[in-house]
Amino acid sequence: MAEGFEHVPVLAGEVLTHLVFPPNRVLRLIDGTVGGGGHSALLLEKYPNLELLGIDRDDAALAKAQERLSFARERVRLVRGNYSELAVKAAEAGWEKVDGVLLDIGVSSPQLDHPERGFSWRAEGPLDMRMDRRSILTASRLLNTASEAELERILREYGEVAKSRKLAAAIVKQRVIRPFALTSDFASLCDEVLGKSRPGQLPAPTLPFQALRIAVNDELGELERALPEAVKLLRRGGRIAVISFHSLEDRIVKNFFRDEAASCVCPPGLPVCVCGKVPTLKIVTRKAVTAGADELGKNRRSAPAKLRVAEKIMD
């Protein structure tokens, strides 16, 4: 099952720099998107007193993580599920509080590189895009059944596609003639409706495919549900680190950290604060941390990655 699931963790050095723990007691970390176990392996090696709860909805990823993290043996517990369920999974493990939460969100290289997963328009494969293959909602099902209005919203909100209305109308028209089944079916329509891209521009199918993937996996909803649950689980002094890969995700993380770190949310113009808000987080990374030149040279997929870290200061 794990064969072929090789994923290079992005911003690995930056995660180790910012996700720091005290050395003198048993530590607990939740990796809500454990993937192939890249980041977790580095943290388990650095901290011999660290216990890990790794969560992922991709069965192939969990199989690879099981192999990669076998050196830590009883310190590792891996479970299948959505990272928005981290509070439930922690409770099932008997964990009341944790010292860290790591979320490396988005699609992984193995998912992109295997045509049978249907994530990429660059290779012929079924229009699948499910991170959890137990789900009944595939990209083809969404394209073939969603209303034109819903398709337009998905393309506009999740892909920021300039001609979202025109493309949605073309999808509905095309599926009557022949239902969407393959990645090439949708990629060809994107080229036809949006026009071939010029050198230096994103290829026409890129953003529509992103939008479909986000919708199929409810990626933004997952993130919005997970962040408050993660902060509740953190003990004082614990840290949460989130790696995002596009502006929609990063905006959610940035705004959430800002709101949790704010000491007042009163409407502007009030002479004194009346809200009584107490900040729960301290922002550790004032700006998003991005890949350096060395990493960019070795792994081009690290280019859009942004790391934000915050520390729990109040229970």
Side-chain angles (χ1 to χ4, degrees), residues 69-288:
L69 304 178
S70 60
F71 71 90
R73 298 183 180 179
E74 69 280 353
R75 291 196 286 143
V76 175
R77 178 189 179 106
L78 299 176
V79 295
R80 190 173 184 182
N82 297 328
Y83 68 85
S84 62
E85 303 173 305
L86 54 83
V88 173
K89 301 303 182 184
E92 290 173 351
W95 290 15
E96 293 184 5
K97 289 290 181 181
V98 300
D99 300 278
V101 174
L102 173 62
L103 302 175
D104 177 5
I105 54 183
V107 66
S108 68
S109 293
Q111 291 166 335
L112 285 171
D113 293 340
H114 285 69
E116 70 273 11
R117 301 299 300 269
F119 282 96
S120 175
W121 60 269
R122 297 180 183 273
E124 180 80 345
L127 264 172
D128 192 322
M129 298 192 188
R130 292 172 299 168
M131 293 179 181
D132 186 342
R133 288 181 277 192
R134 299 171 298 182
S135 171
I136 62 171
L137 181 62
T138 63
S140 59
R141 183 166 186 164
L142 184 60
L143 285 175
N144 291 324
T145 62
S147 68
E148 183 175 330
E150 178 65 5
L151 289 168
E152 192 278 328
R153 184 193 68 81
I154 288 170
L155 293 166
R156 172 172 42 83
E157 292 186 4
Y158 300 159
E160 299 176 311
V161 177
K163 298 179 181 178
S164 57
R165 185 174 299 178
K166 185 177 181 181
L167 183 54
I171 292 169
V172 172
K173 182 179 180 180
Q174 177 63 37
R175 73 191 187 190
V176 174
I177 302 170
R178 187 179 70 179
F180 291 91
L182 301 173
T183 52
S184 59
D185 296 336
F186 187 47
S188 297
L189 185 68
C190 292
D191 282 332
E192 178 184 332
V193 174
L194 304 178
K196 292 282 188 178
S197 60
R198 297 177 181 177
Q201 293 181 326
L202 285 175
T206 304
L207 294 179
F209 266 69
Q210 171 189 292
L212 264 188
R213 191 200 77 223
I214 290 173
V216 167
N217 297 288
D218 188 23
E219 293 178 31
L220 302 187
E222 277 286 294
L223 181 58
E224 289 170 341
R225 291 188 293 273
L227 291 173
E229 294 300 317
V231 172
K232 290 177 187 175
L233 275 173
L234 283 175
R235 70 175 80 251
R236 188 178 300 187
R239 290 191 171 188
I240 175 172
V242 185
I243 301 173
S244 61
F245 288 84
H246 57 74
S247 59
L248 299 175
E249 295 171 337
D250 183 57
R251 192 178 304 130
I252 291 172
V253 178
K254 178 182 178 181
N255 291 342
F256 177 80
F257 282 2
R258 180 201 63 203
D259 293 345
E260 291 297 310
S263 57
C264 176
V265 291
C266 290
L270 288 182
V272 294
C273 174
V274 295
C275 69
K277 184 179 182 300
V278 177
T280 58
L281 293 180
K282 175 183 71 176
I283 296 174
V284 176
T285 52
R286 287 296 166 185
K287 294 183 178 180

